[in-house]
């Protein structure tokens, strides 16, 4: 997934808090325990689930039946505990017999535990079929129900899910822990003419019947369960790649993402066969809160990367790379999420390098490093470790985006040390060794030690690897990425600001969008209103349809209180719903010393267009500025 720092409010560690002790203490946590799930996965485990759901746009609900095929691990266990959030459970059957069930109270982050008492006579039963009749609540955190006005076509409603990290439980009662892998099948009933797609075996030729059947034969963690329903059509890109989107966005999307098949072939040649059959992209309406979500076989993608020039396709490289790091080998608990995101960030830069050259890949590496430095300023030392081992005092505290970029640098450091001729085969072997498993940071460390560090002794010690995993900040010998083009752009920004370089001599039209972003980010603090107007009139930043250039520019506009561009900034905040693009603009506005009220006003005017996760991230950000 590609997200913004603070959005990972759910990816955090919960303290085993001791209420009798008035002094907050840092406690070591059991790193193999999933603190984000109520499920008793040490007693029962789910192997397969079967869904039969009706999609009701009028009531904003999914309703129907889920069947969990479970296995008993503990002969003495008499209750099954599942994760739920705001679900309405209507009845439970276990192996055909009615079963009693009860909920715990709602936990603000984790939802409710649903405890099912096994009916008499099943005490020794090893295989259990748990059937649950239920419906979702309109407030389900995983589901967004868009009215037709918020779609590209404007004629049909749209619904999509976002299960990561712990939201699958708001549309299916299940063991919602990445340590449990399941296969699934589903029958989905939709209004006639609309198409349902899932993270499963979508058939591009399926008739639009209003009843759709899916099968996912490879075991996946619950956070990769995904569904979308809308006026969706298909267009092929390559042999096993294609686009699902509203018809209004199909042509632009097939042009923008034309390199997808080549990316897939490249990744497979480096890291081992692509194991999921097809790889398609679903282009969502603008309110999709993230850049992308690596739902297997069908990545969900923001339309904000439709730049018209393929300049933002590193997002696709990222979601595709998750087919290895994340989907094939998954984090065991959310504390190990760097195994998904850090390794994927490293892989996506490698793919961009093959497809678009080293210069562009280095530009993206430098921008990512800058985001890491900004992230490290905001994240507590304990959460700066790639694999945190301490409990935390503030449950809203998280790793920010640090685990993405710091993880990427860790792998870059290993690559520099051992060389690609050793490191690439090591990674391919790692994916093969742990395929279709969910592993901990410590399993990674042991595998690294045995298969790379010890194999080429004297180059990189286990202690060095442990420093990356368990210590805050960055080790002293961290490789710092460089890009000649970006450094030149930063020099241009300084010279122009100092009056040494005429604006017409800044070669923006020759630059990549990344270079332009870096130029904007490198503008000195002290600039006059006249200088900002000169820049905008010369280069049209306020009118840019490249979402990353617009983002960088409007952060500056808001932070510097550059009012001549406020109207354009408002349009930016309405045009996009992706959290990354709007969150920092709102926060910069709220923090500029004058416009906190305006920031709230603009947000209240636009929030109906945004996803609930985006809204809660922005609200959380506002609270922190107060
Ligand atoms: Zn990701």
């Amino acid at each position: 997934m590609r997200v913004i720092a603070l959005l990972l409010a759910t990816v955090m560690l919960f303290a085993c808090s001791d209420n009798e002790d008035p002094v907050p203490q840092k406690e070591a946590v059991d790193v193999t325990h999933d603190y984000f799930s109520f499920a008793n996965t040490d007693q029962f485990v789910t192997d397969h689930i079967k869904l039969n759901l009706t999609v009701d746009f009028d009531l904003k609900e999914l309703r129907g039946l889920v069947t969990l095929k479970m296995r008993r691990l503990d002969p003495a266990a008499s209750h099954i505990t599942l994760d739920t959030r705001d679900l309405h459970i209507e009845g439970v059957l276990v192996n055909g017999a009615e079963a009693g069930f009860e909920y715990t109270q709602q936990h603000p982050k984790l939802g409710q535990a649903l405890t099912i008492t096994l009916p008499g006579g099943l005490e020794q039963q090893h295989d259990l079929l748990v059937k649950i009749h239920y419906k979702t609540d309109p407030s389900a955190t995983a589901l967004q129900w868009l009215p037709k006005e918020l779609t590209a076509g404007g004629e049909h409603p749209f619904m999509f899910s976002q299960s990561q990290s712990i939201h699958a439980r708001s549309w299916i009662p299940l063991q919602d822990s990445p340590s449990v892998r399941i296969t699934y099948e589903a029958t989905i009933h939709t209004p006639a003419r609309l198409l349902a797609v899932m993270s499963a075996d979508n058939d591009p030729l399926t008739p639009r019947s209003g009843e759709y059947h899916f099968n996912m034969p490879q075991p996946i963690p619950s956070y990769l369960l995904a569904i979308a329903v809308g006026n969706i059509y298909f267009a092929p890109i390559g042999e096993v790649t294609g686009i699902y989107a509203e018809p209004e966005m199909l042509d632009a999307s097939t042009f923008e993402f034309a390199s997808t098949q080549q990316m897939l072939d490249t990744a497979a040649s480096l890291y081992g066969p692509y194991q999921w059959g097809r790889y398609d992209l679903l282009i969502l309406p603008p309110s999709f809160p993230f850049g992308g979500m690596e739902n297997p076989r069908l990545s969900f993608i923001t339309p904000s990367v439709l730049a018209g020039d393929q300049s933002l396709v590193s997002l696709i490289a990222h979601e595709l790379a998750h087919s290895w790091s994340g989907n094939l080998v998954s984090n065991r608990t959310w504390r190990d999420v760097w195994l998904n995101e850090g390794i994927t960030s490293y892989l996506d830069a490698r793919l961009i390098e093959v497809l678009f050259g080293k210069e562009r890949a280095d530009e993206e590496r430098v921008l990512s490093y800058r985001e890491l430095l900004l992230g490290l300023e905001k994240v507590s030392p304990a959460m700066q470790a790639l694999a945190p081992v301490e409990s935390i005092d503030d449950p809203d505290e998280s790793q920010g985006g640090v685990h993405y970029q710091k993880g990427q640098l860790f792998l870059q450091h290993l690559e520099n040390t051992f060389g690609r001729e050793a490191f690439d085969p090591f990674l391919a072997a790692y994916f093969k060794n742990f395929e279709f498993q969910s592993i901990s940071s410590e399993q990674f460390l042991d595998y690294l030690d045995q298969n790379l560090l010890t194999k080429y002794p004297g180059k990189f010690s286990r202690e060095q690897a442990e420093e990356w995993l368990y210590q805050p900040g960055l080790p002293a010998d961290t490789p710092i990425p460089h890009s000649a083009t970006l450094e030149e752009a930063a020099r241009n920004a300084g010279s122009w600001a100092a009056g040494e370089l005429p604006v017409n001599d800044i070669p923006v039209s020759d630059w990549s969008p990344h270079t332009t972003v870096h130029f904007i980010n490198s503008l000195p603090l002290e600039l006059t209103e006249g200088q900002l107007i000169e820049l905008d009139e010369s280069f049209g930043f306020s009118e840019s349809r490249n979402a990353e250039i617009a983002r960088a520019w409007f952060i500056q506009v808001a932070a510097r209180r550059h009012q001549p561009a406020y109207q354009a900034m408002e349009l930016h905040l309405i045009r996009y719903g992706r959290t990354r693009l709007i969150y920092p603009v709102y926060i910069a506005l709220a923090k500029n010393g004058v416009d906190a009220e305006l920031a709230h006003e603009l947000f209240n005017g636009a929030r109906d267009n945004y996803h609930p996760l985006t809204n809660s991230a922005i609200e959380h950000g506002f609270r922190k500025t107060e």
Side-chain angles (χ1 to χ4, degrees):
M1 180 167 60
R2 272 274 175 97
V3 296
I4 182 168
L6 290 166
L7 198 60
L8 279 176
T10 50
V11 178
M12 65 201 102
L13 294 176
F14 286 94
C16 312
S17 65
D18 179 357
N19 293 332
E20 285 153 276
D21 185 350
V23 184
Q25 287 194 338
K26 294 284 185 191
E27 297 172 42
V29 295
D30 172 4
V31 295
T32 62
H33 181 73
D34 187 346
Y35 291 89
F36 301 95
S37 171
F38 294 115
N40 52 342
T41 54
D42 52 341
Q43 296 184 309
F44 297 94
V45 69
T46 314
D47 290 323
H48 181 78
I49 74 173
K50 187 174 173 181
L51 291 162
N52 191 325
L53 295 174
T54 296
V55 181
D56 190 326
F57 280 94
D58 294 327
L59 297 175
K60 294 184 179 172
E61 70 180 29
L62 303 179
R63 63 174 172 271
L65 173 68
V66 61
T67 306
L68 308 173
K69 190 165 178 284
M70 304 185 84
R71 233 176 333 121
R72 177 194 292 277
L73 304 178
D74 177 355
S78 58
H79 297 81
I80 298 172
T81 302
L82 302 177
D83 293 298
T84 71
R85 187 203 305 271
D86 299 320
L87 289 179
H88 305 280
I89 306 291
E90 284 150 7
V92 180
L93 296 170
V94 181
N95 288 12
E98 208 167 311
F101 63 92
E102 61 183 13
Y103 299 104
T104 56
Q105 277 202 327
Q106 183 88 6
H107 182 287
K109 299 287 182 194
L110 306 184
Q112 292 166 287
L114 172 71
T115 299
I116 298 166
T117 306
L118 293 185
L122 295 180
E123 290 84 0
Q124 300 304 317
Q125 199 72 32
H126 179 263
D127 297 312
L128 298 169
L129 267 188
V130 181
K131 285 180 188 278
I132 304 174
H133 289 269
Y134 73 103
K135 60 184 182 185
T136 62
D137 194 82
S139 68
T141 50
L143 305 178
Q144 193 178 24
W145 301 88
L146 290 173
K148 59 189 181 190
E149 294 78 16
L150 292 182
T151 63
E155 284 182 25
H156 302 279
F158 203 106
M159 183 277 291
F160 63 86
S161 68
Q162 170 57 39
S163 296
Q164 195 182 15
S165 306
I166 54 168
H167 300 286
R169 64 190 66 175
S170 78
W171 65 288
I172 308 169
L174 77 182
Q175 295 182 315
D176 198 9
S177 167
S179 62
V180 177
R181 298 183 80 99
I182 46 168
T183 53
Y184 79 90
E185 63 192 293
T187 299
I188 304 295
H189 309 270
T190 73
R193 297 192 55 201
L194 298 188
L195 180 69
V197 289
M198 293 190 83
S199 52
D201 62 339
N202 300 288
D203 174 5
L205 301 174
T206 193
R208 305 173 79 84
S209 62
E211 181 180 308
Y212 303 98
H213 300 278
F214 301 93
N215 187 31
M216 182 46 159
Q218 291 104 343
I220 56 168
S222 55
Y223 76 90
L224 294 175
L225 288 160
I227 183 171
V229 177
N231 189 37
I232 298 167
Y233 284 81
F234 176 81
I237 303 175
E239 201 186 334
V240 295
T241 49
I243 303 277
Y244 286 91
E246 288 185 79
E248 292 79 4
M249 293 195 290
L250 261 187
D251 286 349
S253 303
T254 48
F255 168 77
E256 197 80 37
F257 307 127
S259 59
T260 305
Q261 179 73 42
Q262 204 192 337
M263 273 183 194
L264 188 149
D265 295 340
T266 303
S269 71
L270 283 169
Y271 304 117
Y274 178 76
Q275 303 228 29
W276 305 90
R278 291 197 59 83
Y279 180 71
D280 295 317
L281 306 174
L282 172 66
I283 313 305
L284 287 167
S287 69
F288 181 55
F290 303 118
M293 177 63 211
E294 64 269 23
N295 297 315
R297 297 180 179 220
L298 182 68
S299 287
F300 285 19
I301 302 294
T302 172
S304 69
V305 289
L306 292 167
D309 59 5
Q310 307 190 350
S311 62
L312 302 180
V313 296
S314 66
L315 177 80
I316 308 301
H318 182 92
E319 305 314 330
L320 170 68
H322 271 306
S323 304
W324 287 263
S325 45
N327 298 3
L328 192 60
V329 183
S330 311
N331 48 219
R332 184 179 159 81
T333 76
W334 293 110
R335 168 256 179 187
D336 304 302
V337 66
W338 81 274
L339 290 174
N340 284 12
E341 299 301 350
I343 298 178
T344 296
S345 299
Y346 167 81
L347 297 186
D348 79 48
R350 290 292 307 274
L351 297 182
I352 290 298
E353 188 175 319
V354 174
L355 265 73
F356 299 97
K358 186 164 185 319
E359 184 173 294
R360 175 157 161 192
D362 283 342
E363 289 176 359
E364 299 196 1
R365 288 181 179 116
V366 170
L367 293 181
S368 157
Y369 181 67
R370 180 182 178 273
E371 295 200 4
L372 171 59
L373 297 183
L374 292 173
L376 286 172
E377 285 173 17
K378 295 177 187 142
V379 175
S380 74
M383 289 296 109
Q384 293 178 13
L386 283 177
V389 291
E390 285 184 347
S391 62
I392 56 173
D393 306 320
D394 175 4
D396 275 336
E397 199 173 11
S398 77
Q399 283 184 284
V402 165
H403 51 299
Y404 283 69
Q405 300 110 12
K406 185 174 171 179
Q408 177 181 357
L409 279 181
F410 177 31
L411 266 73
Q412 187 65 54
H413 197 172
L414 292 169
E415 181 208 299
N416 295 353
T417 305
F418 292 94
R420 288 184 176 177
E421 61 285 2
F423 191 57
D424 290 353
F426 162 78
L427 272 184
Y430 160 75
F431 294 130
K432 180 71 193 152
N433 189 66
F434 292 110
E435 64 180 11
F436 299 110
Q437 296 179 45
S438 303
I439 68 165
S440 67
S441 302
E442 286 65 30
Q443 284 172 281
F444 174 88
L445 180 63
D446 288 343
Y447 187 82
L448 176 74
D449 196 357
Q450 286 156 21
N451 296 281
L452 195 67
L453 310 189
T454 311
K455 206 167 151 191
Y456 303 94
K459 285 177 178 262
F460 197 94
S461 67
R462 187 181 172 108
E463 290 68 32
Q464 278 177 285
E466 285 172 349
E467 184 180 358
W468 281 91
L469 256 53
Y470 302 124
Q471 296 302 318
L474 296 171
D477 56 351
T478 298
I480 297 171
H482 287 286
S483 150
T485 47
L486 262 55
E487 281 156 19
E488 176 63 18
R491 275 195 296 277
N492 273 251
S495 310
W496 166 78
E500 295 157 7
L501 180 71
V503 76
N504 293 332
D505 290 353
I506 308 174
V508 171
S509 56
D510 299 337
W511 284 346
S512 70
H514 305 96
T515 312
T516 306
V517 165
H518 193 66
F519 171 81
I520 295 171
N521 288 343
S522 305
L523 291 169
L525 275 180
E526 297 300 327
L527 286 183
T528 65
E529 184 95 334
Q531 283 179 306
L532 291 166
I533 290 172
E534 182 181 69
L535 273 190
D536 207 4
E537 282 180 352
S538 303
F539 305 124
F541 292 151
S542 286
E543 311 302 321
S544 178
R545 284 310 176 95
N546 183 295
E548 290 292 328
I549 294 176
R551 171 185 187 267
W553 173 244
F554 289 121
I555 291 172
Q556 298 291 325
V557 165
R560 296 167 188 268
R561 208 156 183 269
H562 179 52
Q563 289 179 304
Y566 269 25
Q567 209 178 345
M569 178 184 70
E570 280 183 46
L571 286 176
H572 172 86
L573 294 173
I574 292 167
R575 178 177 299 132
Y576 298 110
R578 181 181 171 192
T579 314
R580 171 181 168 78
L581 299 177
I582 55 176
Y583 172 92
V585 180
Y586 278 118
I587 300 308
L589 197 60
K591 281 169 65 174
N592 74 7
V594 183
D595 290 321
E597 206 172 310
L598 176 65
H600 282 88
E601 223 170 84
L602 293 177
F603 173 58
N604 287 331
R607 62 176 299 153
D608 286 353
N609 299 357
Y610 301 152
H611 191 279
L613 290 174
T614 306
N615 286 334
S616 62
I618 294 171
E619 284 166 357
H620 180 72
F622 278 160
R623 277 197 299 278
K624 286 181 76 165
T625 65
E626 280 161 7

